[in-house]
Amino acid sequence: MSKPIHFPPDFIWGSATSAYQIEGSPLADGAGPSIWQRFCAVPGNVRDGDNGDIACDHYNRYKEDVALMARLGLKAYRFSVSWSRILPQGRGAVNQPGLDFYSKLIDELLAHGIEPMVTLYHWDLPAALDDRGGWLNPDIADWFTDYTRILFKAFDGRVKSWATLNEPWVVTDGGYMHGTLAPGHRNLHEAALASHNLMRAHGSAVQAYREIGRHQIGIVVNIEPKYPASQSQEDLDATRRADAYMNRQYLDPIFLGSYPPELKQMFGDAWPDWPAADFDLIGQKLDFVGINYYTRSVVRNEPSNWPLKVAPVRQPQATYTETGWEVFPQGLTDTLTTFTQRYGPMPVYIMENGSAFYDPPNAENGRVHDPLRIDCLRKNMQALSNALAQGVDVRGYMVWSLLDNLEWSLGFAKRFGIVHVNFETQQRTLKDSAYLYADIVASNGACL
Ligand SMILES: N#[N+]C[C@@H]1[C@@H](O)[C@H](O)[C@@H](O)[C@@H]2O[C@H]12
């Protein structure tokens, strides 16, 4: 029987997006190109040749979208800042119209009683910095810190929640290990170097915030809990490797002062002995951790698979989303309890959770019925409540996503929004899941 669903009275309900996925107008008002602009321009990189030139046109429609958030009763909105709007060359001269856009967005949110939660880096590195090596250049820790200082000084009076990075694992695994995401490299040595430089940049930005900021700062990581396909030693070892690579790689250096030993075993000479001083920098105290949870994976040993030698095992009875992810709400509970057990109690936000299903508007009444997304949402709410009942200090939940948007290399075909976007007309239509989410927010989950 399901346990009673309960959320703390001050639980923060919101939604999440990212700049390149929704804003459009990537070069407007003096902005510089990002690596995603370049990546999308290479034929074959993005499904259907899609790109962020228009996306949800949020750059021009942000007031309409904030009004949508207010209609849903959201208490918070997690968005990212495009680095190359602020610093078109990634460093040097500030582009004031870029700052002005985010200042107006923040004021619009505050005017509607919606807390802005800012992600400083959500994958759209300025192309000019990639020309200087990007995340492979150790100087990027200083470049990133200089960029974040500009935002801290400009917005910390109005923004009370900052996250340095979004999903560093995806940045390195997609961008440098497998080449499926910008900047499209496939190099084991580069993946290790990018990963470590991301963490150095994270620590340096937190250090800068402690000099300037007055509120809270954290990091957002994706966690995909790993479950062994069998109790054989090979599968148990494979599961540990997968967990070390995807989950512990980013939280261990922050909270435990070292990387999981499995990484050196997997990467070999591609994984140097990093300087001890780097871990002092990376290990800056955080005010919260943001966790993005979507799915789990069941893992078996697969010696032929470079470089982790693991393979996922599809679960025959399970429901899978359009992105091929198993619907497994128990994994959300397990992620949260495991986090607390490994790193100790601390404030956690679910900064992304959602599902991609294709639900076209009903031809007769224009409504968007999305029963599978509603089923996922209900089950994840139960799982979240169960984690809270087990003592995990979860402070809030941001549904991914407010709007259907550019799903990176999957283009616009994969729709995560609780609000449907017609990308021809830019018409927004609340899906049935948006109405349910509004009820959840209004009742603090009591409607479930
Ligand atoms: N795929 N998928 C959906 C979602 C993606 O759209 C976000 O930008 C990422 O932070 C994270 O991968 C999750």
Side-chain angles (χ1 to χ4, degrees), residues 13-17 69 74 76-79 351 397-402 418 437:
W13 298 98
S15 68
T17 65
M69 298 176 212
L74 303 189
Y77 172 55
R78 176 190 176 228
F79 63 96
M351 288 297 197
Y397 175 92
M398 308 295 135
V399 68
W400 184 273
S401 179
L402 174 72
I418 59 173
Y437 194 59

Side-chain angles (χ1 to χ4, degrees), residues 379-428:
K379 288 174 178 172
N380 280 314
M381 292 297 99
Q382 178 71 66
L384 190 53
S385 174
N386 293 349
L388 282 157
Q390 293 180 54
V392 181
D393 186 5
V394 190
R395 301 289 178 91
Y397 175 92
M398 308 295 135
V399 68
W400 184 273
S401 179
L402 174 72
L403 303 171
D404 291 336
N405 60 53
L406 182 69
E407 190 39 61
W408 305 110
S409 55
L410 298 177
F412 296 109
K414 303 304 177 187
R415 292 172 174 261
F416 279 86
I418 59 173
V419 176
H420 177 274
V421 177
N422 178 323
F423 292 105
E424 303 300 321
T425 65
Q426 291 297 337
Q427 181 180 347
R428 277 79 162 135

Side-chain angles (χ1 to χ4, degrees), residues 262-296:
E262 293 89 346
L263 294 178
K264 181 83 178 166
Q265 294 155 16
M266 285 187 276
F267 279 75
D269 63 5
W271 191 269
D273 295 323
W274 308 108
D278 287 356
F279 294 95
D280 295 335
L281 179 65
I282 294 168
Q284 302 297 312
K285 185 181 175 309
L286 301 183
D287 301 308
F288 69 88
V289 168
I291 291 176
N292 295 348
Y293 176 78
Y294 287 94
T295 190
R296 68 150 176 188

Side-chain angles (χ1 to χ4, degrees), residues 83-94:
W83 186 340
S84 49
R85 285 197 197 282
I86 310 302
L87 293 166
Q89 294 305 308
R91 54 195 205 134
V94 172

Side-chain angles (χ1 to χ4, degrees), residues 52-274:
D53 288 353
I54 300 173
C56 304
D57 195 29
H58 179 74
Y59 187 77
N60 296 308
R61 297 169 185 266
Y62 71 92
K63 289 190 176 182
E64 173 188 348
D65 292 332
V66 172
L68 263 182
M69 298 176 212
R71 180 175 168 190
L72 297 175
L74 303 189
K75 311 301 183 196
Y77 172 55
R78 176 190 176 228
F79 63 96
S80 75
V81 172
S82 167
W83 186 340
S84 49
R85 285 197 197 282
I86 310 302
L87 293 166
Q89 294 305 308
R91 54 195 205 134
V94 172
N95 176 43
Q96 188 59 44
L99 270 180
D100 293 345
F101 166 67
Y102 293 106
S103 185
K104 288 183 291 189
L105 172 59
I106 290 165
D107 285 343
E108 193 72 16
L109 289 164
L110 293 173
H112 285 80
I114 299 169
E115 192 70 35
M117 302 178 84
V118 174
T119 305
L120 292 155
Y121 184 72
H122 200 127
W123 307 357
D124 48 354
L125 183 73
L129 295 185
D130 195 47
D131 293 342
R132 294 172 177 270
W135 292 110
L136 303 177
N137 186 330
D139 292 344
I140 197 158
D142 294 333
W143 301 338
F144 181 64
T145 305
D146 293 345
Y147 153 64
T148 63
R149 277 201 187 92
I150 294 164
L151 296 179
F152 296 152
K153 288 174 182 171
F155 302 145
D156 193 55
R158 291 173 280 165
V159 172
K160 296 181 171 53
S161 176
W162 299 90
T164 54
L165 306 174
N166 177 75
E167 300 194 352
W169 177 82
V170 176
V171 178
T172 55
D173 183 76
Y176 293 90
M177 176 77 87
H178 296 292
T180 52
L181 301 176
H185 299 193
R186 184 181 161 91
N187 182 307
L188 196 61
H189 291 73
E190 289 189 359
L193 182 56
S195 189
H196 188 64
N197 282 334
L198 277 157
M199 297 314 290
R200 292 177 54 248
H202 156 78
S204 178
V206 174
Q207 212 169 45
Y209 186 71
R210 297 306 181 204
E211 298 158 13
I212 303 168
R214 292 168 291 153
H215 303 294
Q216 62 170 8
I217 192 165
I219 190 172
V220 178
V221 294
N222 55 292
I223 300 287
E224 184 180 286
K226 310 296 181 184
Y227 301 77
S230 78
Q231 291 304 304
S232 71
Q233 195 56 53
E234 292 79 10
D235 286 352
L236 292 172
D237 292 346
T239 304
R240 200 166 27 254
R241 289 197 300 274
D243 181 51
Y245 176 64
M246 189 168 189
N247 301 325
R248 290 183 277 127
Q249 179 174 184
Y250 299 95
L251 293 175
D252 275 19
I254 293 174
F255 294 108
L256 305 182
S258 63
Y259 288 108
E262 293 89 346
L263 294 178
K264 181 83 178 166
Q265 294 155 16
M266 285 187 276
F267 279 75
D269 63 5
W271 191 269
D273 295 323
W274 308 108

